[in-house]
Every structure is written in structure tokens, then in C-alpha cells.
Amino acid sequence: MAGYNVLLNCRANLYTIDNFNNTGITRRCTGQPMNFSNLRRYAFFLLSDSILIAVSLYLAFFLRFNAHLLPEYRNMFPVWLFISLAVKIVMLHIFLGYNISWRFVGFKEASGILFASVASTSALLFLNLLFYRYNSGLYAPLGVIAIDFFLTFFLITTLRVSKRFYYEVLKFRKGGKKAVIIGAGEAGERIASELMRYSSSDTHPVAFFDDDRKKYKTKIHNIPVEGNLEQVSDYCRTNSVSTAIIAISGASHNMIRKLYDQLHYVGVREIKIVQNMANIDENTNLTKQLHDINIEDILSRQTVNVDKDSIGRFIEGKSVLVSGAGGSIGSEIVRQLLSFYPGRVIALDIDETELFYLGYDISDKLSGSSVDFVPFVCDVKDTEKLRKLFSTYPIDIVFHAAAYKHVPLMEEFPEEAVKTNIFGTRTMAGLASEFGVEKFINISTDKAVNPTSIMGATKRMAEEICSSLSTDSGTSFMSVRFGNVLGSRGSAVPIFLEQIKRGGPVTVTHKDMKRYFMTINEAVLLVFQAAEMGNGGEVFVLEMGEPVSIVKLAEDLIRLNNLTPYTDIDIQFTGLRPGEKLFEELLTAEEGTSKTGHHKIWTAKKDKPKTAEEMELMLNRIKESAGTPGVLKNTLREFVPFYKGSPKEGS
């Protein structure tokens, strides 16, 4: 833990100014407050306001008396100047302050100037009334005070907005890349404003598009709303637009896919979208949330909605162990757990490098948080070390994601798949039961359905182990089964991207191959929801949508890199590898399913769980045969439902 404390302290103290947010800059801590910058800005505005207040008062007298000041008014001017300076500077301090960022003055600051002007004028009127009664020689005509009010407000407001006017109107009109903003709602308006505001931006918004007919032919920040979404591509082609920004809250993947195809067809190569718009508040800098459109954005999947309140009640304050925490699924489980305020997160993995990077990645979230993060380097087969872990930390929930997952490799080393996927699961689950863990969630796979591979067969056995333990344990055991996760290590997407980066070819095993995909984010959220609703013994099945053609996936990735399939980057077919299927069955193909309270989560109908004695007999047989691959596969065929071995093995 000392190493992680050092890591957090380093990240908390090695910051410099580097990017913009709603207040102008994000500070990266240098260990020293930026007093000089604040003092310089304070002195500038104080001096400028003092000059403008003096000019305003002089002009008020000058205009009130048509440039002919009587001697008595010349004599009272220094007194009124002193009073006016004192009152107005104090009111500006109260209602506006001097810690604003000049570049980012808006309605809120203008309102502060107005309130300060009204308050100071009211105070001056009261003082003038006292002069009228007790010292008539200092009484100023009411017209002077009225003119002074309007001049002060105008001059100070003009000074405050001048820098923003320069960047958003004068400098902005110098040009840049032409961009259309798709979505003329709040997000689109904010993006347009920010693009015009930042001097570093070379993107020039020229038009909005929105399906709300009420917005047609209106202007936002002087940028016209040119039409609906169907008209975007024609406008881009006609006006040589190079950039498009999708800023539609809740846009479906189908809509994004359609827009992407239309824009790409007319030559728009820079297509950006707001990342995680649902989690963005009014103070967030939206231009910092823009990312290039990616494969997750255009795959046809519906948005996942979960009951975050119930998940929060399930996780908050609990001690949670995540095995395989350095992997794609495990690390995402750890990241998302932090949003639900667990008391402790124990991240277990045999790969110390991945654990280190996970700790580094989440250190910002951990800083200032009450969550106790415990990295733990250990093999899930190491019973004694795991026993010490379970005895040291009270554990309420276990997410078991540690497993070997690469199908062809496990065909070559079936004994390793058996050791980790079967006996590692048995060790983790047995200790969870022994130490009274509340819930144990086994992360499973679609390859456990009608398995043709060692990997699928061993994961199916892991499900059977959890079902067996659920019959006579105080711990609720369950498995959650889903398909391929986009972007996970060793999956198709990162491999294809690396091949594209090298100039191709992209290799696909078969032209007709299809797979089910979901994003890591939605998979983990649904795992949390299933874990919350599970009572024990269930095999939950996540709804995966429609299967995706792997060839189509490869073509999309090539286009997303602004290249042309089969011209710039070739696609080659290599043939099925050992253990692979051409089509993954529906995750429910064997058993059928039952509905749950969530439309994307089902439960597989299972046979009666094995007794502890039956399971022990099966595991002993598997262990005895682990040394000989052929015997091991035959043993697994005997015990794993529907497992027939890989197609290349025949029977």
C-alpha cells in the first residue's frame, strides 16, 4: 500500500496548467498557489475599473451640464470621485469579485456588474440625500447620478466582455476547419460556444442541423440551423465541410451509424461525438469530451439502462474482491465499482504490471475518496495465499473474472485452462463459501454454450461448480454469461486496429463468421444488475442484440481510419482455428430462458445442480486426466453438457 500512497501523492502534486474548463483553466497542482497570476489579474481589473469609474463620473457631469461646469460643481467633483470609487469598488467586490477569468465572462458576470451598479447607485442616492439635508454644497443633481449609472455599467461591462468578443467574433472569423454540429440542443450550443471561445481551436462551426422543425432558419451564436439530419450530407458536400460533430443526447447506435455512413460517403473524414453525455454536468467542458467516432458508437445496440439506486444499495460500503482485476473485464469492474462507493476494493491478479497500471488509472478517483483500494498479486490457484487474503479482509462480494480465454491457445494447453478456469474457480468459490461471502459472481462466456473448445468446456464446468456450491452454502453463487466484449485484450477489434496500423492485411478466419458483441461498459453494468438481483444458483444470460459480421466489422474499422477496404487495406481469410465456431449460438440455445425484472437479463433454465459428492468425483477425474490432453478432453466430454471437442478433432 505504501507504493500506491506514493503514487497518489505524486499524481496529486505533479500538475501544471494545461487545459481549459468552465472557469478558464484546469490547474495541475505544482505545490505552490499561483498568487502572482491572481495578483496581476486583480491589480489590472482594480486599476481599470478605477479609471473607468472616474471617466464615467466626469462624463456624467460633462453631459449633464452640456460641457459647461459651474465652479461649484468643479469643486465637488474630487469629493464625489473619492466616494464613487470607494462605493463602486466595494460593490464590485461583493457582487462580481476579481477572481473571474477574462476570456470566459458571460451572463453571470454581466448580471454581477448590473447588481453592483444598482447597489452602488442606490448607496450614492442615499448619500446625496444626506448631502441635500446637511451639506448642500456637495449635493449633485440626480441627472448626474443617473447618467453615471448607465455609463459605469456600460464601460465596465465592455471591458469585461472585450477579450471574449475578440476571440469569439474577431479572431474566430479568421477561419479554420469548417464543421457542422448535428444537434441544436443544449449540448450543440455549448460546443459551438466553446469552439468559438478557445484560441487553440482550429475548428469553425458553420451550421447546425436538427430534426426539430421549430429551430429551422434560426441562429445560435450567429450560426444558422440549416435543416434536418437528412440534409447534413448534401450541405457538407456542397460547402466542403471537413468535420462533423454529433451532439445529440441519447442518440441511438442506428442513428449514429446512419449519420456516419452518410457523412463518410460525401468525404467528411473527421466525425466526432460527445463521450458519455449522460454523465456530463453543466460545468463540463464539452469540447474536451469529444472523441473520434469509433466502432462502439456505430454498432447497432440499444442503450443499457440499469437501476443504479438498487446497485448502489447492493455495493455501497461493501468489501469487494475482483479476481482477474488486471484484465479487460476485471479492470472495468474495478473502475465502475468506485462509482457506487464500496468500502474496500481488493484487486487480485497474477500480473503485477497490469495491477500497477490499474492503480495508476484510478488514482484520480481514489484521491479524496474513502474507498480502500488493495492491490493483491496472487494466482487464483494458490489456496494458502488466498486463504490469508480472505482471513485478513472481511469480503462481502466476489466478482470472479480470472480465466484463460484465448480459444486456440487453450486447445494447445488444455491442462492450463483446466487448472485456472476449473480449479481456480473451485478454490475461489470454496473460500468464499468458507468465509461467509455474501455473493459470488462468476463471469462466464457464450463459448460455454454447446462448447467446441477447451476454453468453453472449462468455463461451463466453472458454471457447474458455482451451481453445485449454491445448494448448501450460505453464499449466493451465480454466473453471468455474455459474448465478446469490444476492445478487450486479444479480441478482434484491437487486433484489427494493429493490423491496419501496420498497413494490413486484416485477417479474418471466415467470410461468414459472426459474433455477438457488447461494450465493456454495458457488460459490467448488466453484471452489477444481475448480481444485485440474484438469489443464488442462477446462470444469468445477457441479451446481446444481433450478431455482427466479422468482415463488416473489419471493413468499418478500416473506414474509421479513413482508409478504403480492399484498396488501401486488404482483408484476407485464414480459415477456422482449432476450437472456433463459425457462428456462436444464442447464449440460451441449449436450455431456454426465463425472464427477470430486467429486459436485457435472462436466466438460463438449468438441470438439477450436482451434489457436492458428484462434483468432487468429477473434479477428481478431471485432475487425474489433466496430464494427458487426449484423455483430458475425453473426460470433459463425459462431464460437460454438449461438449464434443473442436471440429478438427472429429468426435
Side-chain angles (χ1 to χ4, degrees), residues 97 136 173 218 231 268 276 293 316 329-330 338 356 373 429 450 468-469 540 560 604 645:
S136 60
R173 295 191 182 281
T218 62
Q231 298 170 296
V268 178
N276 299 324
I293 198 166
E316 186 174 359
I329 297 295
L338 300 180
F356 174 83
F373 177 68
N450 286 327
S468 173
L469 283 171
F540 288 105
L560 284 168

Side-chain angles (χ1 to χ4, degrees), residues 141-330:
L142 296 180
V144 171
I145 297 176
I147 295 171
D148 180 53
F149 165 76
F150 288 107
L151 286 174
T152 299
F153 175 72
F154 173 76
L155 291 175
I156 291 179
T157 302
T158 300
L159 172 67
R160 291 300 196 279
V161 303
S162 59
K163 195 169 185 178
R164 181 168 181 175
F165 178 81
Y166 168 74
Y167 280 108
E168 294 190 15
V169 178
L170 300 180
K171 191 170 183 178
F172 170 70
R173 295 191 182 281
K174 292 181 181 179
K177 293 184 294 185
K178 290 183 180 180
V180 294
I181 299 177
I182 302 170
E186 179 183 355
E189 177 274 327
R190 286 171 57 186
I191 289 171
S193 174
E194 290 169 9
L195 287 175
M196 293 188 296
R197 187 183 305 169
Y198 299 139
S199 60
S200 60
S201 174
D202 64 346
T203 303
H204 178 182
V206 294
F208 283 97
F209 288 86
D210 198 289
D211 279 340
D212 185 352
R213 297 186 61 84
K214 296 177 183 177
K215 297 176 181 177
Y216 293 177
K217 304 307 176 185
T218 62
K219 289 188 176 182
I220 301 172
H221 298 300
N222 207 34
I223 302 169
V225 181
E226 292 286 357
N228 60 31
L229 270 55
E230 296 292 334
Q231 298 170 296
V232 176
S233 56
D234 289 338
Y235 180 91
C236 292
R237 179 173 51 222
T238 304
N239 293 276
S240 301
V241 173
S242 62
T243 304
I245 299 171
I246 301 173
I248 304 174
S249 180
S252 67
H253 291 284
N254 285 330
M255 176 187 290
I256 295 170
R257 175 68 198 230
K258 184 177 180 181
L259 286 168
Y260 170 78
D261 288 342
Q262 291 175 346
L263 292 165
H264 198 274
Y265 180 75
V266 297
V268 178
R269 292 295 181 262
E270 188 174 354
I271 306 172
K272 295 184 177 291
I273 191 168
V274 180
Q275 190 171 24
N276 299 324
M277 192 177 294
N279 299 323
I280 292 173
D281 60 34
E282 62 181 8
N283 295 320
T284 302
N285 180 348
L286 287 188
T287 57
K288 297 296 181 183
Q289 302 298 319
L290 292 176
H291 69 86
D292 292 327
I293 198 166
N294 57 37
I295 196 67
E296 289 92 340
D297 296 317
I298 64 176
L299 278 185
S300 298
R301 291 195 53 80
Q302 297 176 348
T303 302
V304 169
N305 296 309
V306 295
D307 185 350
K308 291 190 176 181
D309 290 336
S310 65
I311 295 173
R313 289 190 295 271
F314 168 57
I315 292 174
E316 186 174 359
K318 301 288 182 63
S319 178
V320 185
L321 168 63
V322 182
S323 71
S328 305
I329 297 295

Side-chain angles (χ1 to χ4, degrees), residues 435-454:
F435 284 89
V437 169
E438 178 186 335
K439 286 191 177 182
F440 183 99
I441 301 94
N442 172 48
I443 304 302
S444 191
T445 171
D446 57 354
K447 293 171 179 63
V449 184
N450 286 327
T452 59
S453 65
I454 283 290

Side-chain angles (χ1 to χ4, degrees), residues 37 40 63 79 93 143 243 305 326 344 346-347 477 524 543 602:
S37 177
R40 185 174 59 181
L63 294 172
V79 176
H93 262 291
T243 304
N305 296 309
R344 177 183 294 113
I346 303 169
F477 290 91
V524 169
E543 189 274 311
W602 302 71

